[in-house]
Each structure stands twice: as structure tokens, then as C-alpha cells.
Amino acid sequence: MSKPEYTVRRARTSDVPGIQTLVEPLVQQRILLGKDLVVFYEAVQEFRVAEDSAGNLVGCGAVHVIWEDLGEVRTLAVDGGWLGRGVGHALLERLEIDARELGLSRLFCLTFEVPFFSRNGFVDMGTETVDPAVYAELVRSHDEGVAEFLDLARVKPNTLGNTRMVKAVTGS
């Protein structure tokens, strides 16, 4: 049996510059929003990375808790040379495991990559909203991902053309 082309593991602080390097081309293409290096360090515990057999990062992704049952898939990125080789799927699968371990039952994403997320069980959430009491709590958050989930007007310029998608991750 041959050794896998890549492995998925928890990110370390030493991975942060590589995560930023992976994300930057997608920022330039306006697929992902840019983040300062400090933001990646603050969130490193949320990240998983994929690395090739030589130890080079070829993909990354994070799951961020929004509410007691809801998380967001963030910063899912794959090196252009590794697209179509299952890296994104493997990372998303690991993030779903992480979400279940955290006690989450739903994952949200805001994406231009609708076909990829659809193939992985996400559906367009359309105008879906949350219980008014939960909304009242969430709307207090300063987190942009929460604002995107709630479809607040203040994030509209950053979300034009994106699709709000959700997936149930209970069981399995």
C-alpha cells in the first residue's frame, strides 16, 4: 500500500505563515476576505491543515463556533496545484468531525464554491433565520461570520455573489 499524498492534521502556530500564503491567492481573486496575520494566530486552534509528504502545506480550513449548535466553515483553501485531488473534501470531512466533537449539529458557510459544498451535503439556506431569541443574542456579536450568517446589511458589500449554505452534521 502506498503512502498517502497528503495528511490532515491540527494546525500549529508555525503553520500560520503558510496558511496566510495559501489564502492570499484566493484573497487576490476576491474569493476569500483577507485577514491580518494576528487573526490567523488568534484562530489557529480552529484550523486543520493538509500537508504533502515533504511537509508543505497544501490546504487549510477552520471551524468556528457561532452558537451552541452552529459553527461556520472558514478559510477553506487548497493550493491551486492540488485542486481536484480530494484535499478540500478531506479537510471538510475533518472539520465536520471537529464540529460534532464540539457538540455542533449544523455547519454554515458563505461561499462562491457552491458546487463543491453541494457535493459535500451543504444546501442553500435561502432566507432561513434563527429563533428570535437566538437572533437577539447573535446580533450582538462583532464577528463578521455571525453577521454573514444573519445576512445583516452591514456585510452586504463583502458578500455579494456568495451563497449562504448549511449542513446538518449530527450522527455519522
Side-chain angles (χ1 to χ4, degrees):
M1 181 173 215
S2 65
K3 187 175 178 183
E5 289 185 82
Y6 60 88
T7 56
V8 174
R9 63 167 173 79
R10 180 170 299 287
R12 300 185 281 261
T13 56
S14 59
D15 295 320
V16 168
I19 290 170
Q20 190 174 46
T21 297
L22 276 170
V23 170
E24 189 55 31
L26 299 172
V27 171
Q28 295 304 316
Q29 296 170 48
R30 304 180 74 78
I31 292 171
L32 291 177
L33 290 176
K35 295 179 182 170
D36 292 325
L37 202 55
V38 67
V39 174
F40 288 120
Y41 279 113
E42 290 172 342
V44 72
Q45 70 277 5
E46 299 177 350
F47 274 85
R48 295 289 178 163
V49 294
E51 66 180 0
D52 67 15
S53 57
N56 302 305
L57 294 191
V58 298
C60 65
V63 64
H64 178 79
V65 174
I66 292 180
W67 195 247
E68 68 180 324
D69 64 337
L70 178 67
E72 179 184 9
V73 173
R74 290 187 171 175
T75 320
L76 187 60
V78 175
D79 179 89
W82 284 81
L83 292 174
R85 295 166 73 176
V87 176
H89 175 78
L91 282 162
L92 188 55
E93 196 170 67
R94 181 64 238 190
L95 295 175
E96 290 177 16
I97 291 167
D98 292 348
R100 285 191 293 275
E101 288 175 355
L102 287 165
L104 304 176
S105 59
R106 295 180 300 153
L107 277 178
F108 158 76
C109 69
L110 181 72
T111 186
F112 287 109
E113 304 298 331
V114 173
F116 169 80
F117 281 98
S118 293
R119 284 192 308 273
N120 285 281
F122 283 74
V123 296
D124 186 332
M125 60 185 283
T127 59
E128 179 183 323
T129 58
V130 293
D131 177 271
V134 172
Y135 184 94
E137 291 293 327
L138 288 176
V139 79
R140 297 178 183 172
S141 174
H142 297 288
D143 187 285
E144 291 299 298
V146 173
E148 292 162 353
F149 173 76
L150 296 176
D151 205 23
L152 298 180
R154 71 178 170 85
V155 295
K156 292 289 188 195
N158 293 333
T159 63
L160 289 176
N162 282 303
T163 300
R164 296 163 62 237
M165 301 184 81
V166 69
K167 177 181 182 177
V169 293
T170 52
S172 50

